[in-house]
Amino acid sequence: ENDNRNKTTVLLIAPETGRLPDAMGPLARFISGKSGGLGEVISALCEGLAERNIECHLATLNLSRRFQRESGLDDDQWSRITNTIDPHRIHLVNSSLFENSPDAYSGNPVLNAAEFQKIVVNQIIPQIRAKSNGRLIIHSHDWMAGGIITAYAKAHGCPVLHTLHNVHTAHLFLDLLRGVNMERLSDCFYCSQEQGKPAIDCQATAIKNASIVNFVGAKFLREIVDGQFADRPIIPPSVRHEVRIKYEYGATRAIPNAPSWQMYPEHSNYLARRFSPEDDVIA
């Protein structure tokens, strides 16, 4: 087996995922939830990195009730799987706050995010980074994977690629983040006031700390930079401000999402018959 201490590891951090490749470990087929566009992007990235022999890990919320239901398993079967299968490259964040939730944004998404981010910075990032001899690149997705995660990465010299799938943000109250050593991170926060209390703007903080910020389309980037929709509360001023700074420094990219290879009809395992562009599709 290759010595992972001589390889640079990529850690994807996202609130959801689609079907994961077998290279992620035997747990992959049990936690691949049916999801929307973001989940499919995570699937495709994991596949692409694995095919290129890049050490790829994923940190996501353990929506255990949903994963169990979609895997068709009862409580005993699910318990046996989660307690006996090596998670390998999949790092599930466990919490009673969201274990019964259908997605990361159900219930109170701010509380979900605070719980998720605290565990990622206190446990998951240090463990993975230590195993790769400090060579770690973080690819964060969406505001829920921003906030103190990206601040921690910046403060500890870890490169961050942050992808904006939308411009939504959320504000985490500082008192929700007890248990995290905030002293070293404070300079990396985009601070805000929410309901009269000090908070952290998750999306703006992610953009601020990212080495490169990626957008899923060039028009999406231009709308933010050029000040479009300024008369409507669509794009938060904090997000627009930080994006413009990154753009001026040449630290933005616009890369459209690519679908997972399993979504192509020549590869799909869920069609009655596979077909490709060379086939007589009408027949």
Side-chain angles (χ1 to χ4, degrees), residues 17-29 32 42-48 50-51 56 90 261-262:
T17 180
R19 182 170 296 276
L20 294 170
D22 292 340
M24 299 295 288
L27 190 62
R29 66 189 186 95
S32 303
I42 299 302
S43 298
L45 287 168
C46 290
E47 288 172 2
E51 288 174 3
C56 173
I90 299 170
W261 69 275
Q262 292 183 351

Side-chain angles (χ1 to χ4, degrees), residues 41-243:
V41 170
I42 299 302
S43 298
L45 287 168
C46 290
E47 288 172 2
L49 292 168
E51 288 174 3
R52 290 159 178 79
N53 198 32
I54 294 172
E55 181 83 7
C56 173
H57 291 245
L58 170 66
T60 192
L61 288 77
N62 187 3
L63 306 173
S64 57
R65 186 63 62 183
R66 167 180 161 178
F67 298 152
Q68 176 186 336
R69 185 182 65 250
E70 293 180 357
S71 298
L73 301 170
D74 61 30
D75 289 346
D76 289 340
Q77 290 171 318
W78 180 251
S79 178
R80 190 159 53 249
I81 286 168
T82 55
N83 286 292
T84 60
I85 291 182
D86 182 357
H88 195 44
R89 298 180 181 179
I90 299 170
H91 307 269
L92 298 178
V93 172
N94 299 298
S95 174
S96 60
L97 288 178
F98 44 73
E99 65 181 4
N100 294 318
S101 299
D103 58 67
Y105 305 98
S106 296
N108 189 326
V110 171
L111 292 181
N112 294 347
E115 187 87 346
F116 178 59
Q117 292 182 22
K118 286 194 294 184
I119 294 174
V120 168
V121 302
N122 282 339
Q123 300 177 26
I124 294 176
I125 293 177
Q127 291 171 3
I128 298 174
R129 199 175 185 203
K131 289 181 178 178
S132 59
N133 204 24
R135 301 176 182 177
L136 179 66
I137 296 172
I138 288 175
H139 188 178
S140 51
H141 295 260
D142 195 44
W143 67 262
M144 191 168 285
I148 62 170
I149 292 174
T150 51
Y152 178 92
K154 175 74 172 183
H156 290 81
C158 186
V160 174
L161 167 63
H162 182 67
T163 293
L164 269 80
H165 299 266
N166 52 61
V167 293
H168 301 318
T169 192
H171 304 266
L172 299 190
F173 297 125
L174 292 180
D175 58 8
L176 293 177
L177 300 171
R178 285 190 295 268
V180 175
N181 185 346
M182 307 290 275
E183 184 175 348
R184 188 171 179 180
L185 308 185
S186 58
D187 289 342
C188 301
F189 295 150
Y190 189 107
C191 297
S192 62
Q193 287 283 326
E194 188 74 3
Q195 301 173 21
K197 297 170 63 178
I200 297 169
D201 185 317
C202 287
Q203 190 81 278
T205 296
I207 299 165
K208 175 180 178 178
N209 292 297
S211 310
I212 296 177
V213 182
N214 179 51
F215 297 80
V216 295
K219 185 178 179 182
F220 178 31
L221 172 59
R222 295 302 322 177
E223 287 173 347
I224 299 173
V225 173
D226 292 345
Q228 296 185 38
F229 311 113
D231 58 334
R232 283 170 279 177
I234 296 175
I235 302 172
S238 59
V239 171
R240 196 188 297 275
H241 173 75
E242 290 299 322
V243 168

